[in-house]
Every structure is written in structure tokens, then in C-alpha cells.
């Protein structure tokens, strides 16, 4: 059974600092890995999708890396802004379904 | 393009009562998912439909939970009878085909409190 772990559970940084969010998974036989953002009272929004054959994916200030063999992914958010405050969830696709981590709740202080 | 619609947004019931949630996916999406997200945890897949057929319901507590997707469009998830541990946010998502390359689009969820 796939287990997805995200550390830390919560993070508070001053505006402008770079964010580093970590995700680890136990079964490396994945098709892809996704990072989602969840705002309070709202659903999840997909931020980045990395295929198993890729090493990284970038979108604006976001960059996600994938090391499938070691079961790790890292989401980098450059020059954080208060609007980046949210919960970020990592999910891996294998066995025909997504398995999610519990998320990292980020607070960016103005 | 309209997103995934869910109703109600909030529901409070007492244990042993019944409750139903409704989801209308993005138009044209063949695959519909129901997730349960307990506070402090990531979403857990309850059931996946491909058109109006069930693809995966291995994590659905079938003694109390049921779901249907009539005509391959909108879907209803029911809990009967509810237990305290069913308190959670129930998320509906849809995707074009349901494969590994699909992105799932999520609704805002229904927050259920069982007292």
C-alpha cells in the first residue's frame, strides 16, 4: 500500500523567503506525481504534474523535482507572497489511483 | 468553463441519521471521483466511476455508504446510518478520461459534521 508523507506539517515564513516543501512515498512504481494547493473552504487545485520519466516541472515561481528511485519530491516556491498561504498536498498516481499526503500548511507573513 | 459543482456546502446531522451529497462534474468528463478528507489528513478515494460504471470502490464502507452515477453525468453519495467518524469533507472530482495523465478537477466539497 502506497504511503505518502509530507514534512513539515506546517511552515511559517516572512514574505520574500523561498519555500521548500518535501514529499516522500514508499512505492516508487508511480506513473506521476502531482502537487495541489488547497485553500480553506475550497477544493484542491492542481499546480504541477510530473510524469515518472521527468525529473522536474516548472510553472512561474513554482518548481517541483522528482527522484523516483529514492521516493522523494520537493516543491520550491520562489520569493513567497502572502497569497501563497495555503495547504500544499502531494499526491502520487499508482495502482490506478491518487494517494495523497496530509499536506503542509504554509503561512507567509507580510 | 463551469467547474465541479457540489451541494450542500455544509451539513450537520446526528449519528444514525442519513445524508446525501450531490455532485455535477465538468461537462464531458467521463470519470468522477468521491474522496473523503478527514481533518488533518489527505483525501482518500472512496469510489471512482467511468461513465456510469464503477471502476474502484475498494475503500468505500459498503455497509453504510452508497453512490450512484445515473446516466453517466451527476452523482450522489449517501451515508446511512452516519457515525461520528464520518465527520469529514467529502470532495468530488472529475477528469476527462481517468488515466494516469489526467488532471483531476475538484469541487469545493461538502463539510459533514456528525453529532
Amino acid at each position: 500500500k502506497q504511503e505518502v508523507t509530507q514534512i513539515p506539517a506546517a511552515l511559517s515564513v516572512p514574505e520574500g523567503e523561498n519555500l521548500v516543501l518535501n514529499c516522500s512515498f514508499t512505492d516508487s512504481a508511480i506513473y506521476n506525481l502531482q502537487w495541489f494547493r488547497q485553500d480553506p473552504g475550497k477544493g484542491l487545485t492542481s499546480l504541477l504534474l510530473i510524469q515518472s520519466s521527468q525529473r522536474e516541472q516548472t510553472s512561474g515561481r513554482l518548481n517541483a523535482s522528482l527522484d523516483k528511485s529514492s521516493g522523494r519530491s520537493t516543491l520550491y516556491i520562489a520569493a513567497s507572497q502572502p497569497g501563497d498561504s495555503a495547504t500544499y498536498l502531494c499526491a502520487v498516481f499508482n495502482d490506478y489511483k491518487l494517494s495523497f499526503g496530509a499536506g503542509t500548511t504554509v503561512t507567509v507573513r507580510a | 468553463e463551469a467547474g465541479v459543482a457540489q451541494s450542500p456546502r455544509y451539513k450537520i446531522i446526528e449519528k444514525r441519521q442519513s445524508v446525501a451529497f450531490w455532485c455535477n462534474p465538468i461537462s464531458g468528463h467521463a470519470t468522477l471521483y468521491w474522496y473523503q478528507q478527514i481533518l488533518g489528513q489527505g483525501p482518500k478515494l472512496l469510489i471512482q466511476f467511468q461513465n456510469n460504471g464503477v471502476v474502484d470502490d475498494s475503500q468505500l464502507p459498503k455497509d453504510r455508504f452508497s453512490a450512484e452515477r445515473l446516466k453517466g453525468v451527476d452523482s450522489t453519495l449517501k451515508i446511512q446510518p452516519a457515525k461520528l467518524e464520518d465527520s469529514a469533507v467529502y470532495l468530488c472530482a472529475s477528469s476527462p478520461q481517468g488515466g494516469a495523465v489526467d488532471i483531476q478537477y475538484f469541487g469545493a466539497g461538502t463539510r459533514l459534521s456528525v453529532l
Side-chain angles (χ1 to χ4, degrees):
Chain A
K1 180 191 171 193
Q2 180 74 266
E3 300 286 343
V4 182
T5 303
Q6 292 187 247
I7 295 173
L11 188 60
S12 178
V13 299
E15 183 177 3
E17 192 165 301
N18 296 333
L19 286 163
V20 180
L21 308 180
N22 297 302
C23 171
S24 62
F25 46 95
T26 53
D27 184 351
S28 62
I30 64 170
Y31 286 101
N32 64 47
L33 182 144
Q34 294 185 56
W35 283 93
F36 290 85
R37 170 179 171 143
Q38 186 171 31
D39 293 281
K42 297 185 179 181
L44 281 68
T45 301
S46 180
L47 297 174
L48 291 168
L49 184 153
I50 311 175
Q51 299 293 350
S52 61
S53 58
Q54 296 177 311
R55 297 284 293 183
E56 67 176 339
Q57 192 68 253
T58 298
S59 176
R61 293 184 296 111
L62 277 59
N63 174 274
S65 65
L66 173 63
D67 185 342
K68 202 173 76 160
S69 60
S70 67
R72 296 178 187 276
S73 176
T74 301
L75 177 66
Y76 300 89
I77 303 177
S80 62
Q81 304 168 359
D84 294 329
S85 297
T87 297
Y88 293 83
L89 294 103
C90 162
V92 296
F93 192 99
N94 75 328
D95 197 22
Y96 304 104
K97 60 174 163 282
L98 278 176
S99 298
F100 285 84
T104 295
T105 299
V106 171
T107 302
V108 181
R109 307 186 304 271
Chain B
E1 177 181 83
V4 176
Q6 290 189 247
S7 67
R9 290 297 312 277
Y10 306 93
K11 192 74 177 178
I12 301 173
I13 62 173
E14 296 190 350
K15 60 183 179 184
R16 292 189 288 275
Q17 285 188 323
S18 301
V19 65
F21 314 126
W22 174 82
C23 172
N24 190 29
I26 292 174
S27 177
H29 280 193
T31 311
L32 185 147
Y33 313 80
W34 283 102
Y35 290 88
Q36 179 193 58
Q37 186 176 22
I38 293 171
L39 186 65
Q41 299 181 19
K44 181 183 81 172
L45 180 68
L46 292 176
I47 189 167
Q48 176 182 342
F49 292 95
Q50 185 74 14
N51 296 309
N52 60 351
V54 175
V55 173
D56 184 351
D57 63 357
S58 58
Q59 300 188 97
L60 186 74
K62 298 180 186 65
D63 57 333
R64 297 183 302 106
F65 285 64
S66 64
E68 61 182 8
R69 189 182 184 197
L70 299 176
K71 300 180 182 178
V73 182
D74 56 352
S75 176
T76 303
L77 177 69
K78 297 180 181 177
I79 308 175
Q80 180 179 8
K83 293 185 175 181
L84 297 177
E85 58 261 36
D86 298 332
S87 294
V89 176
Y90 291 84
L91 295 164
C92 179
S94 70
S95 68
Q97 293 298 329
V101 297
D102 264 8
I103 289 176
Q104 295 183 23
Y105 297 85
F106 284 78
T110 296
R111 182 176 298 276
L112 173 67
S113 296
V114 182
L115 306 178

